Amino acid sequence: GMQREKMWNVRACMFFPRGDTVDSSELTIGIEHEHPANQIIKGTPGFFSLTVDWTRITTHVTGGTDDVTLIPVMVNWKQHTGAMDRFWDWGAGIGLYWARDDIPDMNLTKGSKFAYQAMAAYHFNPSWFVEGRYMADGHPSDSGMFGVDIGYSF
């Protein structure tokens, strides 16, 4: 299999919440650390990664609106396909949504909730990639978010 030297990814994303949020899109920044899965569980193909994202959701609250920080944290399994300089990767992960306060428009209460994500990216050179992501908790019609990312690997 292909081994990559670059183990860190940073992302700038536009997330589009499915819930009836004040804004139809939210700017999100994220960081990811990847590690060859075989080094953690012998014989496992692909990569394990940890993703942490940070966004602020503008939500309707009693008496107006509020900007509430939402931090999705996920452990993922990913697979890479293609050449060293241009390749695809895809994967899925589980983890949590951590909300600093209630986000009624997404049916999220303050604190942590189980969440999951799926992602697919095209690396058009060794350093830069574009990616599509989807993440949600147990109520995807409220909490789901589609994301479009541009990322940098180092």
Side-chain angles (χ1 to χ4, degrees):
M2 191 182 74
Q3 292 299 326
R4 284 178 69 217
E5 301 285 320
K6 299 173 191 294
M7 289 291 129
W8 292 92
N9 299 317
V10 290
R11 294 175 171 80
C13 331
M14 287 306 294
F15 267 120
F16 303 91
R18 290 186 64 194
D20 191 19
T21 52
V22 177
D23 300 326
S24 59
S25 63
E26 299 287 3
L27 180 65
T28 304
I29 56 171
I31 190 161
E32 175 177 33
H33 182 64
E34 287 190 19
H35 203 79
N38 184 53
Q39 293 179 10
I40 299 169
I41 302 171
K42 278 275 176 259
T44 305
F47 295 79
F48 288 121
S49 81
L50 177 70
T51 51
V52 180
D53 292 284
W54 178 92
T55 191
R56 286 172 73 79
I57 305 290
T58 306
T59 186
H60 297 91
V61 293
T62 308
T65 64
D66 193 13
D67 291 316
V68 180
T69 298
L70 177 65
I71 301 178
V73 179
M74 310 272 181
V75 175
N76 312 283
W77 178 83
K78 298 171 75 176
Q79 184 64 278
H80 299 172
T81 298
M84 278 302 269
D85 52 345
R86 289 188 186 162
F87 63 93
W88 291 89
D89 73 43
W90 69 92
I94 57 171
L96 54 86
Y97 271 173
W98 181 84
R100 182 147 176 72
D101 208 338
D102 294 349
I103 307 177
D105 295 351
M106 293 179 69
N107 197 17
L108 292 172
T109 50
K110 178 178 179 172
S112 300
K113 282 257 175 58
F114 171 81
Y116 57 89
Q117 74 173 348
M119 69 257 275
Y122 178 64
H123 298 251
F124 48 89
N125 69 38
S127 295
W128 292 94
F129 62 92
V130 290
E131 183 176 50
R133 286 198 287 167
Y134 177 78
M135 60 176 64
D137 78 348
H139 304 279
S141 59
D142 297 316
S143 70
M145 297 193 296
F146 289 99
V148 179
D149 312 347
I150 182 148
Y152 180 76
S153 301
F154 60 96

